[in-house]
Amino acid sequence: MSQTHGGGLLAALNGAAPPAPRWFAEALGAPHETNLHTVAGARIESLAWGERGRPGLLLMHGNGAHARWWSFIAPFFASTHRVVAFSWSGMGGSDWRPSYSLDLYVEEAFAVAQAEGLFDAPTPPVFLGHSFGGFPTMACAARGGERLRAAVILDSPLRTPEQRKVREAARQRAEPKPPRPYAPLEDALMRFRFMPVQPCEHLYIADHIARTSIKRVEATPERDEHWTWRFDPHLWRDYRMGNPSADLAGAKCPVAIVWGDRSSLVTPAVREYMASLAPAGAPLVEIPYADHHVMIDQPLAFVAALRGLLAGWP
């Protein structure tokens, strides 16, 4: 997501909520738990659906996102699984840290999974990560894959080591910008867009994500009440991606690779590179008519694909 100044996906709505289909309203209304877990000194927010003791499914979001990006997907698995989505530290409703690392994010994933009962079932849990979330997922599979049934990587652009060096150098040179204040709330909603920029046919999903991506900041003597995005602009200042190529190649559990057929990030070359590193027999699943944000572009097709994976694999 981005706080860019131009008109966003929801600009034409002028702050009004678009109509949503019945399935979406029912999913958002499904019973769930909201919890906070302290991991390495930071409170990590989580949402959970389904009963403890069922097979576990941990859903991990991408950069600048949060747990509620999964709140219209997770309920579809609640009758068969204990499903948990959480926000990485520095994003969503989780605490911000002085600095962030891949090691911390791996610790957060396993700690939340343990606290939420995902290891209580006779079968180990499945970890799934979208976009940036796929990289900690690969690290979890390499470092603790013997504790997992499988890992699913959803539209995560795994670049070659040379490409990553160039990208990380550019990221380190970029100066973080302080969160921009918005007032009124509608001003923020009208500027919401996905990154990378892409169209979105399901504006009701974009509206839900935009509204849950904003936090209210109370008025002070220096500034009136306003709203800002819920992520730490300094998150990438010291962060290092580690070696995701080695993590994928060294996975200690089965791995599936899923992508949108219109993704601007997971190109044919990226898919070929990832397939060459993944464990033998890794399912390669393409979701038709989906861009990078697969679960937003084709939510029900994604649910069907993931149900198929969980039912027949590994």
Side-chain angles (χ1 to χ4, degrees):
M1 58 171 264
S2 170
Q3 314 108 289
T4 48
H5 293 265
L9 290 167
L10 306 170
L13 298 173
N14 294 311
R22 179 177 176 181
W23 72 262
F24 183 75
E26 289 179 349
L28 292 187
H32 65 275
E33 307 163 23
T34 303
N35 296 306
L36 288 172
H37 310 281
T38 300
V39 183
R43 294 172 302 171
I44 306 300
E45 73 164 351
S46 67
L47 308 176
W49 296 258
E51 297 178 5
R52 289 174 180 259
R54 291 175 178 166
L57 176 60
L58 186 68
L59 303 175
M60 293 174 275
H61 63 79
N63 179 32
H66 51 81
R68 286 168 179 79
W69 281 55
W70 297 109
S71 57
F72 53 95
I73 298 292
F76 284 97
F77 300 89
S79 63
T80 55
H81 289 73
R82 171 73 168 175
V83 191
V84 173
F86 74 96
S87 299
W88 302 111
S89 57
M91 306 185 213
S94 294
D95 285 346
W96 294 6
R97 298 182 184 275
S99 62
Y100 305 84
S101 69
L102 178 65
D103 292 344
L104 279 171
Y105 280 178
V106 170
E107 183 177 357
E108 289 175 12
F110 278 109
V112 169
Q114 185 71 49
E116 289 287 5
L118 298 194
F119 292 101
D120 293 353
T123 56
V126 173
F127 281 16
L128 183 153
H130 171 247
S131 191
F132 161 76
F135 297 108
T137 302
M138 294 179 213
C140 288
R143 302 181 189 186
E146 65 280 353
R147 302 179 62 194
L148 305 179
R149 178 186 170 199
V152 180
I153 312 303
L154 177 60
D155 219 88
S156 300
L158 179 55
R159 300 171 176 87
T160 65
E162 293 75 18
Q163 290 172 327
R164 290 200 306 275
K165 287 180 181 178
V166 173
R167 183 174 176 82
E168 288 196 24
R171 177 177 284 155
Q172 295 305 314
R173 291 194 299 269
E175 289 293 327
K177 298 179 181 179
R180 180 187 174 188
Y182 293 92
L185 170 65
E186 290 76 15
D187 192 30
L189 295 174
M190 292 169 64
R191 284 164 173 76
F192 177 83
R193 63 182 63 187
F194 295 116
M195 291 297 291
V197 174
Q198 64 165 75
C200 179
E201 296 180 6
H202 307 307
L203 293 185
Y204 55 92
I205 300 180
D207 181 77
H208 160 71
I209 290 174
R211 291 178 190 274
T212 55
S213 298
I214 301 168
K215 64 179 179 180
R216 174 178 171 272
V217 180
E218 295 184 359
T220 66
E222 293 78 25
R223 175 170 286 173
D224 293 336
E225 176 187 73
H226 60 278
W227 285 260
T228 63
W229 302 111
R230 301 167 73 209
F231 63 84
D232 185 349
H234 298 284
L235 191 152
W236 293 103
R237 179 177 51 201
D238 303 311
Y239 192 94
R240 296 292 184 273
M241 288 294 291
N243 189 345
S245 297
D247 288 338
L248 181 56
K252 298 183 178 71
C253 65
V255 175
I257 299 171
V258 184
W259 67 91
D261 75 336
R262 301 189 303 197
S263 174
S264 62
L265 298 183
V266 180
T267 62
V270 168
R271 298 198 297 269
E272 183 178 351
Y273 179 58
M274 295 180 72
S276 73
L277 297 173
L284 306 175
V285 182
E286 181 178 85
I287 306 298
Y289 293 98
D291 291 284
H292 173 60
H293 297 93
V294 178
M295 65 286 199
I296 295 167
D297 302 322
Q298 295 293 339
L300 299 183
F302 171 69
V303 166
L306 184 53
R307 279 179 170 175
L309 277 175
L310 296 178
W313 167 85

